[in-house]
């Protein structure tokens, strides 16, 4: 008589999965450096396709707009929409590079070349303040010397880096060629992803429904849809918000006669994509530069950044982003610190929408468990829904 195989009930399988996850988590923590090195190697190989997916994801919204609103009467509307969006993106990028990049480069070169002159001017200003206001000069001079040495070391480091890199022309050429190939691969893959979206998404749905039970597959697809809405709303809104802040900073720099206005505006605009800490991260190096060039302009710029931060946080940001994440300020802070510490700049940028998705999932799970237990958030029993009679209709 053949023995029946030992049946695995749901609880046994769940406990086994939990044990395996715990072992995997312990292994990842114990061998964190090796795991991170392997992940970095894999992401390095797949980086063209990851960048291509990022490009396609960013351009999906305008492509959908052109496809549904502009070319909806044409037969090849998706192809026309993709060509239009990529041409517009290339034109905008070329205009920005031609207008901004040469001036940013010339400002950076001028700043490095005139660093010694700026240092002497800063030293003369400090000495004049010490004499005029009868200040204790020893401590101030020591701070000034320390600051000057710090800035000078940064400048010398940058110059030495350029000088040591000059003989490595062959390596630079190889790296440049690899970068061009990777960029072309990313561009081509992004075009394929956008053009094949109508086939790729149904294929992924079919795979999910084939491998996961129907109820869990529907829940998972709902979570993916919610995550997509959060990410699209946050990233697009943050890019528009940062562009407006960068342009506004440039205009105000011209009005307040702040040196290196384009360079500073670009730094502020780029770092503003980081929620919460973005203006501070961008303002610190700008103020350090302006202290050397013109201390009074550094003071004006500090007031300007404070005003821009308040305007962005209280007026512009809420108008553009709205409640796209649904997170309170404390959770935004936690997500930026944790994800930024783990993944650097990409973590600081994408940590907020990622944490918003996790927060929504945890909130949904908690509400479901409370409903199953028949209690509310304070542990009190849930009241049955009140029946509405004809006399109460006026209260609705």
């Amino acid at each position: 008589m053949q023995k029946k195989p030992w049946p695995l009930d749901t609880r046994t399988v769940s406990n086994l999965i939990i044990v395996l996850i715990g072992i995997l988590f312990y292994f990842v923590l114990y061998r964190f450096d090796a795991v991170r090195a392997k992940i970095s190697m894999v992401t390095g190989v797949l980086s063209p396709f990851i960048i291509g997916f990022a490009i396609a994801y960013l351009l999906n919204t305008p492509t959908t707009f052109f496809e549904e609103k502009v070319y909806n009467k044409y037969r090849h509307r998706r192809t026309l929409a993709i060509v239009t969006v990529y041409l517009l993106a290339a034109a905008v990028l070329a205009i920005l590079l031609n207008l901004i990049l040469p001036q940013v480069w010339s400002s950076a070169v001028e700043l490095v070349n005139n660093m010694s002159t700026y240092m002497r001017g800063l030293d003369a200003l400090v000495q004049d303040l010490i004499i005029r206001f009868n200040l204790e000069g020893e401590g101030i001079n020591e701070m000034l010397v320390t600051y000057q040495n710090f800035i000078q070391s940064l400048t010398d480091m940058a110059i030495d880096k350029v000088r040591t890199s000059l003989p490595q022309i062959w390596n630079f050429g190889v790296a440049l060629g690899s970068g061009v190939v990777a960029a072309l691969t990313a561009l081509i893959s992004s075009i394929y992803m956008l053009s094949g979206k109508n086939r790729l998404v149904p294929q992924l749905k079919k795979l999910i429904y084939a491998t996961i039970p129907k109820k869990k597959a529907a829940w998972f697809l709902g979570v993916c849809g919610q995550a997509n809405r959060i990410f699209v709303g946050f990233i697009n809104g943050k890019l528009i918000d940062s562009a407006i802040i960068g342009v506004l900073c440039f205009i105000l720099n011209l009005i307040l006669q702040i040196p290196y206005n384009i360079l500073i505006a670009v730094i502020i605009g780029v770092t503003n994509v980081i929620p919460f800490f973005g203006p501070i991260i961008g303002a610190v190096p700008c103020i350090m530069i302006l202290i050397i060039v013109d201390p009074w302009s550094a003071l004006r710029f500090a007031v300007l950044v404070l005003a821009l931060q308040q305007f962005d946080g209280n007026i512009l940001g809420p108008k553009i982003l709205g409640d796209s994440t649904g997170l309170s300020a404390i959770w935004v802070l936690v997500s930026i610190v944790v994800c930024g510490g783990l993944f650097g700049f990409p973590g600081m940028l994408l940590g907020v929408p990622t944490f918003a998705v996790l927060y929504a999932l945890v909130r949904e799970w908690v509400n479901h468990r409370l409903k199953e237990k028949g209690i509310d958030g304070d542990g009190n029993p849930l009241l049955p829904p009140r029946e509405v009679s004809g006399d109460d209709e006026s209260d609705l």
Side-chain angles (χ1 to χ4, degrees):
M1 183 176 176
Q2 187 178 2
K3 280 187 174 183
K4 292 183 179 180
W6 176 53
L8 293 177
D9 57 358
T10 306
R11 181 178 294 274
T12 303
V13 174
S14 301
N15 293 335
L16 181 61
I17 292 175
I18 292 174
V19 171
L20 291 177
I21 291 175
I23 294 173
L24 179 62
F25 184 71
Y26 173 77
F27 176 77
V28 170
L29 289 180
Y30 182 71
R31 307 278 297 179
F32 184 73
D33 293 335
V35 173
R36 186 167 59 179
K38 294 295 183 182
I39 294 175
S40 299
M41 182 183 67
V42 174
T43 54
V45 174
L46 298 178
S47 59
F49 302 99
I50 297 174
I51 297 173
F53 174 77
I55 295 173
Y57 193 78
L58 290 175
L59 298 182
N60 180 57
T61 300
T63 301
T64 304
F65 170 79
F66 278 99
E67 182 182 3
E68 296 179 353
K69 304 295 183 181
V70 180
Y71 301 119
N72 56 339
K73 297 181 180 180
Y74 293 89
R75 181 180 177 184
H76 302 287
R77 54 182 180 272
R78 173 162 286 271
T79 302
L80 293 173
I82 292 174
V83 172
T84 302
V85 168
Y86 274 85
L87 289 178
L88 288 176
V92 171
L93 185 62
I95 292 173
L96 290 178
L97 290 179
N98 287 329
L99 291 178
I100 296 176
L101 191 60
Q103 298 192 42
V104 170
W105 175 256
S106 63
S107 298
V109 171
E110 181 184 352
L111 179 63
V112 172
N113 292 334
N114 297 333
M115 186 62 67
S116 58
T117 304
Y118 294 145
M119 288 293 187
R120 289 193 296 269
L122 179 62
D123 183 63
L125 175 63
V126 172
Q127 298 299 332
D128 181 63
L129 292 176
I130 292 174
I131 296 173
R132 180 176 301 180
F133 296 100
N134 195 21
L135 301 175
E136 183 64 32
E138 185 176 352
I140 298 178
N141 285 330
E142 290 179 358
M143 291 177 58
L144 178 62
V145 170
T146 303
Y147 182 75
Q148 289 178 337
N149 291 335
F150 172 71
I151 297 297
Q152 192 64 46
S153 63
L154 290 180
T155 307
D156 295 339
M157 187 184 303
I159 296 175
D160 293 339
K161 187 67 176 178
V162 173
R163 289 175 179 173
T164 55
S165 299
L166 288 177
Q168 302 175 354
I169 300 177
W170 172 255
N171 294 334
F172 175 76
V174 173
L176 181 62
S178 301
V180 171
V181 172
L184 290 177
T185 305
L187 181 63
I188 295 172
S189 64
S190 67
I191 295 175
Y192 278 127
M193 290 176 188
L194 277 178
S195 61
K197 184 184 71 171
N198 291 337
R199 295 188 301 270
L200 182 61
V201 173
Q203 289 174 354
L204 292 176
K205 287 184 178 180
K206 186 186 297 185
L207 178 64
I208 291 172
Y209 275 112
T211 55
I212 304 177
K214 182 179 178 181
K215 186 176 180 181
K216 293 183 179 179
W219 174 83
F220 178 74
L221 291 174
V223 172
C224 292
Q226 182 182 9
N228 179 62
R229 289 190 297 271
I230 292 175
F231 270 84
V232 168
F234 179 81
I235 294 176
N236 292 341
K238 201 61 185 173
L239 289 177
I240 296 174
D241 174 71
S242 299
I244 294 175
I245 290 297
V247 173
L248 188 59
C249 180
F250 171 69
I251 295 173
L252 293 176
N253 284 343
L254 291 177
I255 296 174
L256 298 177
Q257 297 181 353
I258 295 176
Y260 303 110
N261 40 57
I262 292 183
L263 176 63
I264 290 175
V266 169
I267 294 175
I268 294 298
V270 170
T271 57
N272 194 69
V273 299
I274 302 174
F276 200 82
F277 290 116
I280 300 175
I281 295 174
V284 170
C286 295
I287 291 176
M288 292 178 64
I289 293 173
L290 291 176
I291 286 176
I292 303 170
V293 178
D294 184 3
W296 301 118
S297 65
L299 181 61
R300 296 195 301 271
F301 178 73
V303 176
L304 169 61
V305 167
L306 182 61
L308 281 177
Q309 184 184 22
Q310 295 299 316
F311 170 72
D312 185 28
N314 298 317
I315 300 175
L316 183 62
K319 289 289 185 182
I320 296 177
L321 295 174
D323 194 20
S324 59
T325 60
L327 292 178
S328 60
I330 182 62
W331 293 122
V332 172
L333 179 62
V334 170
S335 63
I336 294 172
V337 172
V338 174
C339 296
L342 292 176
F343 306 105
F345 180 79
M348 298 183 76
L349 175 60
L350 302 177
V352 173
T354 303
F355 201 86
V357 175
L358 297 177
Y359 181 84
L361 293 177
V362 172
R363 181 178 56 193
E364 180 184 346
W365 178 81
V366 169
N367 293 334
H368 179 70
R369 292 291 296 168
L370 290 175
K371 186 177 180 180
E372 285 184 343
K373 293 183 176 182
I375 58 176
D376 58 11
D378 297 325
N380 300 320
L382 290 175
L383 297 177
R386 186 170 65 94
E387 295 184 1
V388 180
S389 61
D391 298 336
D392 296 332
E393 290 181 357
S394 59
D395 298 333
L396 295 178

